[in-house]
Amino acid sequence: MREERKSTPKAAARWLAACLAGCGGGGGDEAAPSKPQGPTIEYRCSIQVAKKSTGEFTGKGNGEDPARADEAAWTDVCAKLPEAERPTCRDETKWSVSKSSMSAGGGGPTTHSTTLTLVAIAPLFEGEASSATSSDEACKAALADACTKAGSPGDCLSAGFEKKGEARSKKTQMSKN
């Protein structure tokens, strides 16, 4: 029985030393256990910009036949465009065209009328960005990206562009510790 008492404190001391070493609480060179990290948050933003619309331009034309009325309407509406835009007047990739026609002939010759309305088609430029700080910071960077893609780096909103769309998202990643 005396031998049992002698070995029990030694076994307990070995167990305690092994536990402290395995748990990182020993006095050796072992690294302390890492503290659990909180969730990481990523804010994302996407913004679309386009040149501000110059408005609608309307032209009217009359003629003896529909083709002449159409041509007179085109001549009228093209003359109303800003000088720099006139060469692109009939370019369907630059302008959306609405056309209305009517014919009238109250017993005499038939008169044809055409009205054309042009609205500029502005290409959209999209910028995207993310931030670990805030969605406002992500959107500020996304706007700068969109403005750069539009060929107007910096604050393009004060340089003739307008915001056409904005999408914000927030992603939370839980830590794996």
Side-chain angles (χ1 to χ4, degrees), residues 98-112:
S98 298
K99 176 182 172 182
S100 66
S101 301
M102 78 175 208
S103 300
T110 303
T111 304
H112 300 276

Side-chain angles (χ1 to χ4, degrees), residues 54-59 77-78 80-82 85 95 116-120:
T54 55
E56 294 183 352
F57 299 92
T58 302
V77 75
C78 290
K80 293 179 180 177
L81 292 178
E85 300 291 338
W95 302 96
L116 296 174
T117 303
L118 301 181
V119 177

Side-chain angles (χ1 to χ4, degrees), residues 29-55:
D29 292 333
E30 313 84 30
S34 61
K35 294 182 182 177
Q37 294 181 353
T40 57
I41 298 174
E42 178 185 40
Y43 299 93
R44 294 198 50 76
C45 185
S46 173
I47 291 182
Q48 294 176 331
V49 297
K51 272 221 178 249
K52 287 183 181 173
S53 174
T54 55

Side-chain angles (χ1 to χ4, degrees), residues 29-163:
D29 292 333
E30 313 84 30
S34 61
K35 294 182 182 177
Q37 294 181 353
T40 57
I41 298 174
E42 178 185 40
Y43 299 93
R44 294 198 50 76
C45 185
S46 173
I47 291 182
Q48 294 176 331
V49 297
K51 272 221 178 249
K52 287 183 181 173
S53 174
T54 55
E56 294 183 352
F57 299 92
T58 302
K60 297 181 181 188
N62 298 309
E64 303 163 355
D65 61 54
R68 287 187 183 177
D70 288 355
E71 190 56 39
W74 275 111
T75 301
D76 186 38
V77 75
C78 290
K80 293 179 180 177
L81 292 178
E83 187 68 39
E85 300 291 338
R86 287 184 189 161
T88 67
C89 181
R90 296 185 188 217
D91 186 345
E92 293 178 1
T93 64
K94 303 270 185 196
W95 302 96
S96 172
V97 181
S98 298
K99 176 182 172 182
S100 66
S101 301
M102 78 175 208
S103 300
T110 303
T111 304
H112 300 276
S113 294
T114 300
T115 301
L116 296 174
T117 303
L118 301 181
V119 177
I121 298 172
L124 290 176
F125 300 95
E126 185 169 350
E128 295 180 327
S130 61
S131 168
T133 308
S134 70
S135 62
D136 287 341
E137 187 176 296
C139 285
K140 184 178 178 182
L143 178 60
D145 183 38
C147 290
T148 299
K149 289 177 181 175
S152 182
D155 184 14
C156 64
L157 298 182
S158 63
F161 286 82
E162 62 186 340
K163 194 186 298 184

